[in-house]
Structure formats: C-alpha cells, structure tokens
Amino acid sequence: MFTKTDIEKYFIAEKQESLLFLVIGIITIVLAFIFFFVLKTNFYKGAAISMWAIGLLIAVVGYIVYKRCDTDRVRNVYAYDMNPGELKEKEIPRMKTVMKNFVIYRYTEIILSLVGIFLFFYYRNRIDQQFWAGLVLALAIMAFTALFADYFAEKRGAIYTKGLIDFSEAK
C-alpha cells in the first residue's frame, strides 16, 4: 500500500541524489579548469571542454532538483491527506513526463557514450588529433556517469509513479 512515507522516501532520495549530482558537477568543473589551465596538453584541453560543459549541466540540474525537492515533498504529503485528487491531477502527469524524459536521457547518454568510445579509439593514436581524443573520451565518461546515476533515479521514479497510480485508483 502506498503511504505518505513512500512520498517522503522518494523525495528524500531525489534530494540526496541531486546533491550528489551537484557535487559531481562542481568537481568536474574544477577538474576541467585544472586540465585546461594546468595540464595544458591538447588531450587535456579537449577533455576539459567536455567536462566543463557536461559538469555545468549536471551541476545546474542537481541544484534545481535539490531546491525543488522539499517543496514537492511537502505539497504531495499534504495532498495525500487533504486533497488526494491533486496527486492524480498534477503529480501523476508530472511523473509520467519525468519518466518519458528518462527514456530520452537514457538513449542520449547511451549514444553519446558509444560515439565517444568509438571516436576515442579512432583518434587515440593520432598525435595531431589528441584534442579530439580527449574531448570524446571525456564525453563518453561523463555520459556513462549520467547514465549510471539516471538508472537509479528512473527505477525509483517508476516505483513512485506506480504507487501514485495505485493510490489514486483506490480512492
């Protein structure tokens, strides 16, 4: 049976993972600056560009989700008791959109990982192409990292969405 505790657990886990995303993003941005300004080889400069762009994206997404979690948790726990129809009208459609987006993210991350790995092996032994080797290797690593993290978020979201649907059908 779906309870308020399930809502609490979902949003607490989302908040924890989004904080992890924020930290990973910040660490990646710092490493990108070190790669670009300290190590300075073409390989590291290429890697720095991918790391900076994806690190910034991960940090921003992590921050936005982190800031939103408490408000969403309180709103949905309140709706559970006081206005269960709101869960059906607002939270279930929101979660269905989130779940559809996870499919898009998954395939994008898989494609970026595979393209990055393929291109890395293409460029790795070409001395004049080390910038591109670094760029695509970092792209593959960052895409795989996002894929790994999104896997757990998607599984958690599927359980939460099913619980919401079961609860709204029982009401």
Side-chain angles (χ1 to χ4, degrees), residues 142-159:
M142 295 303 297
F144 184 76
T145 302
L147 177 65
F148 182 74
D150 284 344
Y151 170 80
F152 294 105
E154 183 177 5
K155 293 298 176 196
R156 189 172 48 252
I159 293 166

Side-chain angles (χ1 to χ4, degrees), residues 59-90:
V60 168
V61 168
Y63 176 76
I64 290 169
V65 173
Y66 182 83
K67 290 292 286 180
R68 186 189 79 217
C69 279
D70 286 334
T71 304
D72 289 348
R73 178 180 51 82
V74 169
R75 183 185 73 245
N76 288 308
V77 167
Y78 178 81
Y80 182 92
D81 281 332
M82 304 304 288
N83 187 8
E86 184 176 320
L87 294 176
K88 185 175 185 176
E89 295 167 11
K90 293 183 181 175

Side-chain angles (χ1 to χ4, degrees), residues 99-170:
M99 297 309 293
K100 286 179 187 175
N101 288 340
F102 274 128
V103 173
I104 295 167
Y105 303 154
R106 180 182 338 125
Y107 287 112
T108 301
E109 292 158 355
I110 289 169
I111 289 168
L112 289 174
S113 294
L114 292 174
V115 167
I117 291 167
F118 173 78
L119 289 175
F120 171 73
F121 282 109
Y122 178 76
Y123 289 125
R124 72 184 171 131
N125 292 325
R126 298 173 182 207
I127 300 300
D128 61 329
Q129 300 294 317
Q130 289 304 291
F131 174 87
W132 296 108
L135 187 130
V136 297
L137 179 61
L139 174 69
I141 291 169
M142 295 303 297
F144 184 76
T145 302
L147 177 65
F148 182 74
D150 284 344
Y151 170 80
F152 294 105
E154 183 177 5
K155 293 298 176 196
R156 189 172 48 252
I159 293 166
Y160 175 66
T161 303
K162 184 182 180 326
L164 285 169
I165 292 169
D166 292 347
F167 173 75
S168 69
E169 289 174 353

